[in-house]
Amino acid sequence: MTDALQGFVTIGVVILAGVIAAQFGVIDDRGQRTIANVSFTIGSPALLLVMLADADLKTVFGPNLFVAFGSVVIMVVVAWLLCGLVWQMPRRDRVIAAMLSSYVNGGNLGLPIALYVLGDAALMAPVLLMQVVFLQPLGLTLLDLSRARRAGRRLGWWSTISRPVRNPMTVGTLLGLIVNLTGITLPMPILAPLELMGNLSVPCALLAFGIALRLGPKPGLGPQTPIVMTLVALKLIGQPLAAYGLAVLIGASPELTLAVCVIAALPSAQNVFIIAQRYDTATVIARDAGLWGTLGSIGSILLVTLLLG
């Protein structure tokens, strides 16, 4: 528990540095996007590659992959049915709602928390892989189909099947798995710069997160508030409970149960809002759910750690 709390303090201090930098104009919104892109396209792929190249794959892709996948499926189904039956949202809005209830913020918060609170950044690998290979392509494909249908055109097959391999984190994850499975030992001239670039991932992600908290849009209180709060509750309460139930079902160890529940308690990823903006659907819901979920996740993750740690 002491190590976990120390990890939260470490993460909190770096996020606070980002907030202060934004408050005093040291970094603006454009700078925030640049820092976030450095973490997403350079730091995180390098970190995942190095971590997975040396990881115990039986641990990484063992029961936690089943729990992660199962909890996502449960939340997607619940959110889809609620938004369709209760609020009668159009299909494209339900896609965004389903992602908000299940798609964890693996880059900005997941990797730092896995590293500093759980002690192993590789624990995020199955979740990231599942999201970027399955959940995100599925959501984007449904949105593309909806947009193409409204425009009276057909969706290209290559655009659909190539989505997973166009994500930098997927590339880093897959390369790390290839190195691990083939037993290749990376020579120092390759490993050293990868480790150096990987060291960018966590501080850049946390700084960008803190800047975004200070400069991001303020949430509103309007007719969509019940939907927003329901999706936030599904993400911060429902998904950890689903993960805990699945972990108990398979007889997971206390350490693994803590890990999968902490990861499930992460807020929805910021790129869900980016996707909503790109497709011009449910943008207010995505914005507000993302911000309220991010603020609420602090308490959710702490509570999970206190109960299971």
Side-chain angles (χ1 to χ4, degrees):
M1 177 58 68
T2 303
D3 291 340
L5 291 176
Q6 183 176 339
F8 278 117
V9 171
T10 301
I11 291 170
V13 169
V14 182
I15 291 175
L16 181 61
V19 172
I20 293 172
Q23 174 66 34
F24 288 96
V26 177
I27 303 173
D28 59 11
D29 186 62
R30 184 175 179 181
Q32 186 271 337
R33 290 195 298 271
T34 300
I35 294 173
N37 284 334
V38 168
S39 177
F40 182 78
T41 61
I42 298 174
S44 294
L47 176 63
L48 286 167
L49 195 162
V50 172
M51 289 285 183
L52 286 174
D54 240 356
D56 180 0
L57 295 186
K58 290 183 179 178
T59 301
V60 173
F61 293 98
N64 55 338
L65 180 58
F66 165 79
V67 173
F69 189 83
S71 63
V72 164
V73 170
I74 291 171
M75 289 302 102
V76 166
V77 171
V78 171
W80 186 272
L81 292 176
L82 273 176
C83 292
L85 297 176
V86 177
W87 291 294
Q88 299 179 341
M89 294 168 64
R91 183 175 298 177
R92 59 184 183 277
D93 287 3
R94 277 182 278 165
V95 172
I96 297 299
M99 295 181 77
L100 287 169
S101 71
S102 59
Y103 198 120
V104 305
N105 190 334
N108 285 357
L109 283 181
L111 286 173
I113 284 176
L115 185 60
Y116 287 103
V117 177
L118 302 176
D120 187 2
L123 288 168
M124 278 303 304
V127 179
L128 289 170
L129 187 64
M130 182 267 296
Q131 290 188 162
V132 298
V133 173
F134 171 73
L135 184 58
Q136 180 174 285
L138 176 61
L140 292 177
T141 299
L142 290 173
L143 289 170
D144 281 335
L145 286 170
S146 176
R147 185 164 65 178
R149 189 181 299 112
R150 296 199 307 274
R153 59 182 177 82
R154 297 183 64 183
L155 184 67
W157 64 271
W158 175 248
S159 175
T160 302
I161 65 173
S162 64
R163 281 196 185 280
V165 295
R166 284 185 273 159
N167 187 300
M169 287 207 214
T170 309
V171 174
T173 299
L174 292 176
L175 288 176
L177 288 174
I178 291 171
V179 171
N180 193 307
L181 291 170
T182 56
I184 296 173
T185 299
L186 293 175
M188 192 53 64
I190 294 178
L191 181 61
L194 282 174
E195 289 178 338
L196 190 60
M197 289 187 291
N199 289 337
L200 288 169
S201 174
V202 171
C204 282
L206 293 176
L207 283 172
F209 183 73
I211 297 164
L213 280 181
R214 175 62 186 85
L215 300 180
K218 304 297 187 294
L221 294 175
Q224 294 171 315
T225 299
I227 301 174
V228 170
M229 292 308 175
T230 299
L231 295 175
V232 170
L234 287 176
K235 183 69 202 68
L236 302 185
I237 301 173
Q239 193 167 14
L241 286 175
Y244 179 77
L246 291 170
V248 171
L249 180 66
I250 63 174
S253 66
E255 295 78 14
L256 182 57
T257 301
L258 171 64
V260 296
C261 290
V262 165
I263 291 171
L266 288 164
S268 59
Q270 292 172 335
N271 54 339
V272 178
F273 173 60
I274 302 302
I275 292 169
Q277 278 190 317
R278 176 183 173 185
Y279 288 90
D280 192 24
T281 182
T283 52
V284 174
I285 292 174
R287 182 199 67 184
D288 291 359
L291 185 53
W292 286 122
T294 298
L295 296 175
S297 67
I298 299 170
S300 179
I301 293 170
L302 279 172
L303 181 60
V304 169
T305 306
L306 288 171
L307 292 175
L308 301 178

